[in-house]
Every structure is written in structure tokens, then in C-alpha cells.
Amino acid sequence: MKKDNHWKIMIALGLGAAVGIIANISVAGNDGAKEMLNTLIDTIAHPVGQIFLRLLFIVVVPLVFASLASGVAGLGDLSKLGKIGGRTLIFFLVTSALSAVVGITLLEVVRPGDGFDPAAREVLMSSYATQTKEIAAKTGTVVATGALAVVNQILDMFIPRNITKAITEMQMIPLIVFSLLLGAALTKIAADKRDAMVRWLDAWTEAMITIVGFAMKLAPAAVFCLIFGVTARFGLDLLQKVGMYVFLILFGYAIVLFIFYPILLKLLTKRNPIEFLRSASPIMVTAFSLSSSSGTLPTTIRVSETALGIHPKIASFVLPLGATMNMNGTALFEGAAVLFIAQVFGIELSLLQQILVVALCVISAVGVAGVPGASLPLLMIVMAQVGVPPDGLAIILGVDRILDMGRTVINVMGDVVCAAYINEVEENV
Ligand code: ASP
């Protein structure tokens, strides 16, 4: 992305937030004006933001397929793939667990939910009851009972029976598995056929990246609209009630982004963390505006390869996998949210239960799709496992969007840091 476009996007982000907050404050208490603002958002801000979002989403499936298959075919030696895959998964698990610990520790030390006004709790529970029910309805699709059902669900999650169905539903893990298999198979067939196929896949990758370039032209206007829509509708009035919860989670994100990731970069790579974060800023702005790791993926791949110098073979393997499986921000948020809601209900979680929360957060973060608000149904399941009423989600729902934007930045940057690490240790790919 050209530097000036990058600045335009940053300015759009700030302006969109400012105008949105002003609009939010100025319609407070005036239902007619509120309705007009909502119509403005629905008819103008929403479509402009959606065009951008969809142009990015539209390339995700072909981009992951083509770049991953070609990348694996290019590795030549499949034992290399096993080594890279093993390191990547360990990195994902360790960083997610540590992030969940950050979230839980912050909430346990400050305990912002203690002494929460029961009347305020009831108001929130009833105001967000319908939305909470809608989210609860989605949990049915992710929990299975009985050993066979659980085993089948895990199989379905990883190995597609029908790849086209997985693709139409944008299930990334089956798509990744299929692309890996294709790449692996290509290393075993005659060189002339393999080379022809790899050239074809590479052309696809390049073309998809070019479409992302088209989309980026729209980015300043779209980012303004997306952020305006969020801040104008944000439950600013709720901030008084759950402000400390929001602050602590944002503080946790900052710890991960500005302390934890730089330490990892210093220890595991030869990179300068400040330079790294600066070069990765287009990725962060996109993740923040879209609240979607999958939607950000094309930008993540492009910026990682061009501005961060990550080898395309590494980027095309680690980043799609990370966008689906590695969600450090989500793990942090889930841990913190479970504790906060437990505190509001006066439920004490023992150390053992807190350790269980960390484990559940890590597992559920793997299952969360990289789209806005995807972690909420899984969060309800985690809450139920440790005896916190899942309906309590209503308490935090009104402020979740802003936290979602933040956690998506942390999620995506975790993938990029992992790619930088793998790039370092696998120099001669
Ligand atoms: N929006 C997040 C992402 O795409 C997922 C979530 O935590 O809801 O990374």
C-alpha cells in the first residue's frame, strides 16, 4: 500500500471515531434523532463499509487455496512441512494460553465486578435479553453431546467430507487441510505437471492480491464509515457501568501488543520490534476496522510479504492457519469476561476453575471463526462449564464491539509475530 493511502486510512479512522462519538452524544435522549442517525448508518455508512469488507472477503478462499497449495508444493520436502507445522501450533497454543492468563490476572487483581449494582445488572440483563438469546441459539451448533457426536464434530472441523460445502460455508480449517493435501500431492507428481500447476496457482495468488489493491482504494472512505457506524451506535452510556471492565481488557491488549509481542520478537527474531509494529500498522488498522481476522487475511499476507519481508511460503502457510486457529486477543477477552461476569453474580472461581477457564479459552479460541463477534457463543459455553450463568453475557454485550475490534488486532498480530518467528528459524525454505 502506498504510504499516503496508509495515512489517509489512519486519518479516516480517527475522524470516523470522532464524528461517530459526537453523533452518539448529540442524539442521546432524543428518539427521533436516534432513528434518523440509524437510518443514515444503515443506508450510507453500512453499504460503503460492506463493499470494502466484501471485496476483501471475496478473495479469501481462492487466495488461501492458491497460495497455500503453491507454497507447500514449493517446499519440496514434506518433512519440512511437519517441522514448520509443529512449531507453528506450539507457538499458537503457548501464546494463547499466556494471553488468557493476562486477562484473568488483570480481572482477578482489580476485581471490577465486585459490588456491581444489582439494579444495573437487571437493567442490562433485560435490555440485551433478545440479543443474548440469539447468540445462545448459535451455541447449539457448536456443542455436541455423546462421545461419537463429539468425535464426528472434531472430524468435521478438520477433514472435509465435501470440500465445496466447506468452501461455501467459508470453513477455513477444511480448506487449509485440502490445500495442504493438494500441495503435498503436487510434490509427488511429474515435474512438468507440477510446475504448470504451480504457475497457475501463483497467477491466482497474484490476481487475488491485485483485487485487494483495488479494495484498498476504497479503504479511507470505508474505514470512516465502518468506525462511524460503530461509535455512533456504541453504548457510551454503558461505559459508566462497565467502564473498568472495558479499560482492563484494553489494557490487557496493550500489554500483549506492546510488551509481550515485542519481547517475543526480540527473543525469537533479529527484528526491531518498534520498526516491526510500525511496518505492520496497515494490518492493524484493517483488523481494527473490520473486526475480522479472515477479512484482514489478504491484507495480512500482502503486508507481511512486502513490508515485513516474510517469505511467501511461510506467510501463505502460517497466516491462514493463524487467522483461523490462533486468537490471543480472543483468549484474553474470554478469560476476562468470564471472571467479570462471575464477579457481578458474586460467584467465586477457585484457582482450579480459573486454570480450567484458561484451557477452555485456548481451545475455544481455536474454534472461533475469524468474523465479528464470533467468540460470543463460545464464551457462553465456557461460562456454563464453570458455573457462571451464560445469560450474564447480556451485561457486556453493549460494549463488545469495541473490544472485538481490539481483540482482532491482537489476534492478527499474533499470527504475524508467529510468521516472523518461523521465517527466522526456517531461513532456507
Ligand atoms: N472478531 C474476532 C476475529 O475475527 C473473533 C472474535 O473474537 O469474536 O478475530
Side-chain angles (χ1 to χ4, degrees):
M1 194 191 327
K2 297 217 178 65
K3 271 247 147 47
D4 57 338
N5 199 32
H6 177 201
W7 278 111
K8 277 187 205 155
I9 298 173
M10 293 288 221
I11 293 167
L13 188 79
L15 261 165
V19 178
I21 291 172
I22 293 170
N24 190 318
I25 295 170
S26 32
V27 301
N30 180 344
D31 284 348
K34 225 182 225 169
E35 206 166 298
M36 262 173 61
L37 178 63
N38 282 341
T39 313
L40 182 79
I41 296 171
D42 290 344
T43 53
I44 298 176
H46 175 74
V48 175
Q50 281 295 315
I51 293 172
F52 174 61
L53 190 72
R54 286 166 194 226
L55 278 176
L56 292 176
F57 263 123
I58 212 171
V59 305
V60 169
V61 167
L63 179 63
V64 169
F65 167 71
S67 68
L68 196 52
S70 152
V72 173
L75 286 177
D77 174 3
L78 290 187
S79 64
K80 236 183 213 167
L81 179 67
K83 230 170 70 192
I84 296 179
R87 280 198 167 119
T88 303
L89 292 183
I90 291 173
F91 187 98
F92 288 174
L93 288 180
V94 172
T95 52
S96 296
L98 288 175
S99 305
V101 170
V102 170
I104 289 181
T105 310
L106 282 173
L107 267 283
E108 190 54 37
V109 171
V110 182
R111 301 192 63 91
D114 282 353
F116 196 83
D117 177 13
R121 187 180 88 190
E122 288 322 307
V123 170
L124 287 171
M125 295 281 286
S126 61
S127 324
Y128 289 92
T130 324
Q131 279 150 284
T132 309
K133 272 206 194 87
E134 279 166 17
I135 295 170
K138 292 187 194 152
T139 59
T141 57
V142 271
V143 260
T145 46
L148 185 63
V150 172
V151 169
N152 277 336
Q153 198 165 47
I154 295 172
L155 282 174
D156 280 345
M157 197 171 146
F158 287 92
I159 309 178
R161 209 189 287 263
N162 175 345
I163 185 63
T164 46
K165 181 165 174 276
I167 288 173
T168 37
E169 289 170 1
M170 248 184 114
Q171 294 172 12
M172 298 306 287
I173 298 179
L175 175 66
I176 290 168
V177 171
F178 179 74
S179 313
L180 289 176
L181 282 173
L182 176 66
L186 287 176
T187 65
K188 304 280 181 206
I189 67 172
D192 58 331
K193 289 183 189 145
R194 178 185 58 231
D195 294 346
M197 184 79 165
V198 168
R199 277 177 62 80
W200 181 79
L201 290 167
D202 286 346
W204 264 98
T205 308
E206 264 184 58
M208 293 305 106
I209 297 274
T210 310
I211 295 182
V212 179
F214 298 155
M216 284 332 259
K217 295 205 181 2
L218 267 184
V223 165
F224 176 90
C225 289
L226 286 165
I227 303 296
F228 169 77
V230 170
T231 48
R233 279 205 180 124
F234 187 69
L236 273 182
D237 47 332
L238 292 180
L239 273 187
Q240 265 174 325
K241 299 190 183 76
V242 292
M244 196 56 183
Y245 157 81
V246 172
F247 172 77
L248 286 175
I249 293 188
L250 294 178
F251 186 63
Y253 294 160
I255 293 178
V256 174
L257 186 62
F258 298 119
I259 299 178
F260 183 40
Y261 289 163
I263 291 177
L264 287 177
L265 285 167
K266 261 262 163 294
L267 290 180
L268 303 175
T269 73
K270 295 187 204 83
R271 291 166 187 268
N272 173 342
I274 298 174
E275 203 36 60
F276 187 88
L277 288 181
R278 188 174 305 144
S279 307
S281 56
I283 301 175
M284 293 193 261
V285 175
T286 312
F288 189 77
S289 318
L290 302 185
S291 264
S292 164
S293 306
S294 296
T296 310
L297 184 60
T299 312
T300 318
I301 293 181
R302 199 175 56 110
V303 175
S304 298
E305 290 178 1
T306 51
L308 299 172
I310 291 170
H311 197 292
K313 281 177 196 157
I314 301 290
S316 62
F317 175 75
V318 175
L319 298 174
L321 216 57
T324 323
M325 300 178 70
N326 183 37
M327 302 221 171
N328 301 338
T330 297
L332 187 156
F333 152 76
E334 287 189 3
V338 172
L339 252 83
F340 177 69
I341 298 167
Q343 288 164 7
V344 171
F345 281 91
I347 297 167
E348 220 26 77
L349 294 182
S350 66
L351 185 65
L352 209 67
Q353 278 176 311
Q354 293 186 19
I355 294 171
L356 179 64
V357 172
V358 172
L360 290 171
C361 288
V362 173
I363 298 168
S364 68
V366 173
V368 169
V371 292
S375 49
L376 299 177
L378 280 109
L379 174 61
M380 290 182 97
I381 296 172
V382 176
M383 285 160 72
Q385 300 306 314
V386 289
V388 177
D391 289 353
L393 183 78
I395 296 165
I396 56 164
L397 218 48
V399 291
D400 191 60
R401 185 57 198 248
I402 194 87
L403 295 178
D404 194 5
M405 293 157 81
R407 67 182 175 256
T408 308
V409 173
I410 308 302
N411 289 345
V412 175
M413 284 308 291
D415 310 337
V416 181
V417 173
C418 181
Y421 156 61
I422 302 289
N423 196 64
E424 191 81 26
V425 288
E426 300 289 337
E427 257 169 32
N428 43 1
V429 275

